[in-house]
Amino acid sequence: MTSIDLNADLGEGFGRWRLTDDEGLLSVVTSANVACGFHAGDPATMRRVCELAVARGVTVGAQVSYRDLAGFGRRAMDVPSAELAAEVAYQIGALDVFARAAGTRVAYVKPHGARYHRVVRDEAQAAAVVDGVLLAGGALPVLGLPGSRLLELAGRAGLPVVAEAFADRAYTDEGTLVPRGQDGAVVADPDAVVERSVALAVSGAVVARSGARVEVRARSQCVHGDTPGAVELARRVRRRLEASGVRVGAFA
């Protein structure tokens, strides 16, 4: 039976401000990419999400970002490699304190936003992320785009690698994501998102923006929590996957 993980970016709030419906999404997803304070998140939010995740049997992962609260981590930054590695390790360590207090551990690492896209091709920054994961200790799996420099270097370093797909994002013919600033980068039609999710899980392919069929073989799919109706859409995706014979379960 085909098995797929559903992950979502959670804990994306700060103080009284909250972007994501953490409680709602944690009733659907199997892995939680928890913001670690650099693009969003604060200690109280990180603690709360870890406790909710444990209560619902959801795996906790660290979503590491540039130090960019004002830009929500979506602005590319040129950060020296040693500093970048230290920031990755710092974020993992901070989240792991709250994960352990809740009765679990950080089980994987996923870059966020501009860093996620930067490490698809940027070898220096990809290597710094890998160095940061190693610095944090343990062979934590790394979640990222198939064919990225990040997954290649993580695999070389002996870290487990997990390929990720996005049913609600447009793809280029090369299998990369269309940048958010371009028209059509986000698939807004809920029915289309559900169909694309099943196609990705069952056939390992997606239709690119050009209309070409692109192979995207992934063990995990991200369901974004910052779109209107995100929780209900995630529920529809999960129901349709399971009705299609796909087992939904965490990879870590």
Side-chain angles (χ1 to χ4, degrees), residues 37-61:
F38 273 35
H39 76 281
D42 56 32
T45 301
M46 292 160 68
R47 179 180 183 181
R48 176 179 57 83
V49 174
C50 286
E51 291 172 347
L52 289 170
V54 169
R56 289 160 174 76
V58 176
T59 298
V60 172

Side-chain angles (χ1 to χ4, degrees), residues 33-243:
N33 317 316
V34 184
C36 299
F38 273 35
H39 76 281
D42 56 32
T45 301
M46 292 160 68
R47 179 180 183 181
R48 176 179 57 83
V49 174
C50 286
E51 291 172 347
L52 289 170
V54 169
R56 289 160 174 76
V58 176
T59 298
V60 172
Q63 187 163 45
V64 296
S65 173
Y66 291 121
R67 194 192 306 237
D68 182 28
L69 275 175
F72 197 62
R74 288 180 173 167
R75 299 182 291 190
M77 295 184 171
D78 292 319
V79 183
S81 294
E83 183 178 339
L84 192 60
E87 290 183 347
V88 168
Y90 179 93
Q91 292 175 79
I92 296 169
L95 182 63
D96 197 49
V97 168
F98 300 113
R100 286 189 287 109
T104 187
R105 296 294 301 268
V106 168
Y108 65 94
V109 177
K110 174 184 173 179
H112 166 80
R115 177 176 287 181
Y116 185 96
H117 296 286
R118 184 74 173 265
V119 297
V120 171
R121 295 192 175 94
D122 189 317
E123 182 159 358
Q125 290 216 2
V129 171
V130 172
D131 288 346
V133 176
L134 294 172
L135 181 61
L140 290 174
V142 175
L143 183 61
L145 205 67
S148 64
R149 298 297 288 158
L150 174 64
L151 294 194
E152 179 185 347
L153 296 178
R156 285 188 198 173
L159 298 174
V161 297
V162 182
E164 180 180 32
F166 299 80
D168 63 352
R169 292 294 306 278
Y171 278 81
T172 69
D173 289 359
E174 292 73 39
T176 57
L177 300 180
V178 174
R180 278 186 177 265
Q182 297 185 18
D183 290 341
V186 177
V187 180
D189 181 1
D191 292 336
V193 173
V194 173
E195 293 301 323
R196 287 161 65 87
S197 175
V198 173
L200 283 163
V202 174
S203 65
V206 69
V207 177
R209 188 170 59 171
S210 68
R213 184 180 186 274
V214 178
E215 184 174 296
V216 181
R217 299 199 174 276
R219 175 64 182 84
S220 184
Q221 288 187 24
C222 180
V223 290
H224 283 107
D226 57 352
T227 53
V231 175
E232 180 54 33
L233 178 56
R235 289 194 181 108
R236 286 187 59 192
V237 165
R238 178 159 184 167
R239 286 197 300 263
R240 184 62 182 277
L241 285 168
E242 292 175 335

Side-chain angles (χ1 to χ4, degrees), residues 2-3 9 18-19 108 132 157 211:
T2 301
S3 182
D9 302 345
R18 291 189 188 182
L19 176 64
Y108 65 94

